[in-house]
Amino acid sequence: MADTLAIRTAGIVTVQDLGRVGRSRYGLPAGGAADQHSARIANVLCGNDDRAPLLEITALDFACVPSADILVAVTGAPADVTVEGGVRPQWEPVSVSAGETLRVTGIRRGLRVYLAVLGSFEADYLQGSCAPDTILGFGPALSSGDELVLRTACPPLDHPFSRIPLFRLNAPVPSFPTTWTIDVTDGPDRAEFKDTGSRLFEAPFTVSPRSNHIGLRLQGDVPRRVTQGEILSRGVPIGAVEVPAGDELLVLHRGRGVTAGYPVLAVVTATGLSALGQVRPGQTIRFRHRTLDQAVTAHRAQRGAVDALRTRVRTAFDALRIRAPDTA
């Protein structure tokens, strides 16, 4: 029989990856991990392909038990991570022996935690991705009692007495502030807001409880479109900052539909999208204007830090003769 990862406390947890790249042209939302940076690092820390399936744990407590020895990594929002009651670090590989209970509790400051397993686990796919699609009913949330089939096992690696952490890999950990700064570039309809467009950067906005993976609703001093005329429905990018006629801003995230008809004042940058995936209802956001060159430079720097981490992980795993199977 195959080894499994048994879910004991589910909370809100889904199987995710980095989403359906290039499928928007067919009308499919991209989906995938809301915080792509944290998800990518979790897999890198386990020696997996960046796009390997992993777990996205949202807000509530989670617990699981493997039937084989495994190596995991927990990234994302600060949380309490324990194995059989012993505290374990985030943002580093952690060894879990067969039958031990791994718990993630007390998620705070951010909204989502990511748990990757060396070798990953089996998952169903739709259009090249295991990411859920709520419109199509694909990829429901996991429930207590569900089991994921593991692709590989890894002998225990931590010290049984001193509990000294095995790795010090210096993963690029983002900040989790009280007030978030989200970078944006100009949207295609910026000129239609004239001077009112500057309101986007002058005061904070509060995240509404009605926000979800499709988009965030923000309350504050909303800019107003000053030109007249209808806007035809058209393709809109992930991160579009839309301004409806009401008293809220809409910021589209990875579950967004591919077309819309609201004016787009700004577009959240790639690095800003990962941060936006961690913002909790009730927290505040300040937008920061960036040029396209600045946005590209920040994205390249973030990806460069992940690539450097991948090299350090490969060196450590080679020294310990740890090898994950192909998880692409």
Side-chain angles (χ1 to χ4, degrees), residues 35 37-39 41-42 73-79 90-91 107-108 110-115 173-174 176 278:
D35 179 355
H37 178 68
S38 294
I41 287 181
V74 180
T75 63
Q90 288 182 263
W91 303 90
I107 297 173
R108 52 195 178 271
L111 188 61
R112 296 176 171 94
V113 165
Y114 295 88
L115 191 156
V173 182
F176 290 85
Q278 291 290 357

Side-chain angles (χ1 to χ4, degrees), residues 292-314:
L292 287 176
D293 284 345
Q294 289 173 321
V296 169
T297 297
H299 178 60
R300 286 176 175 170
Q302 188 178 76
R303 291 298 295 272
V306 175
D307 289 341
L309 174 65
R310 185 180 292 106
T311 299
R312 296 194 295 273
V313 170
R314 187 178 299 118

Side-chain angles (χ1 to χ4, degrees), residues 233-321:
S233 292
R234 66 234 164 120
V236 289
I238 301 169
V241 180
E242 296 185 325
V243 187
D247 57 357
E248 292 181 323
L249 289 180
L250 300 179
V251 185
L252 302 185
H253 216 281
R254 300 192 63 82
R256 70 46 170 127
V258 298
T259 62
Y262 294 129
V264 177
L265 172 60
V267 179
V268 178
T269 67
T271 53
L273 274 173
S274 287
L276 206 59
Q278 291 290 357
V279 179
R280 302 175 69 98
Q283 287 188 312
T284 54
I285 288 175
R286 281 189 174 272
F287 290 103
R288 180 170 61 181
H289 183 266
R290 285 292 181 260
T291 65
L292 287 176
D293 284 345
Q294 289 173 321
V296 169
T297 297
H299 178 60
R300 286 176 175 170
Q302 188 178 76
R303 291 298 295 272
V306 175
D307 289 341
L309 174 65
R310 185 180 292 106
T311 299
R312 296 194 295 273
V313 170
R314 187 178 299 118
T315 299
F317 280 23
D318 286 347
L320 293 168
R321 298 177 182 173

Side-chain angles (χ1 to χ4, degrees), residues 98-137:
E100 291 186 330
T101 300
L102 167 66
R103 298 184 187 276
V104 177
T105 60
I107 297 173
R108 52 195 178 271
R109 290 161 55 190
L111 188 61
R112 296 176 171 94
V113 165
Y114 295 88
L115 191 156
V117 181
L118 182 143
S120 192
F121 41 79
E122 299 295 333
D124 295 327
Y125 281 77
L126 172 68
Q127 286 291 307
S129 170
C130 66
D133 186 310
T134 55
I135 302 299
L136 297 178

Side-chain angles (χ1 to χ4, degrees), residues 7 27 40 45 63 72 81 99 103 122 144 149 197 200 206 241 319 321:
I7 310 301
R40 193 183 300 273
L45 287 169
V72 305
V81 180
R103 298 184 187 276
E122 299 295 333
S144 299
V149 176
L200 188 67
T206 302
V241 180
R321 298 177 182 173

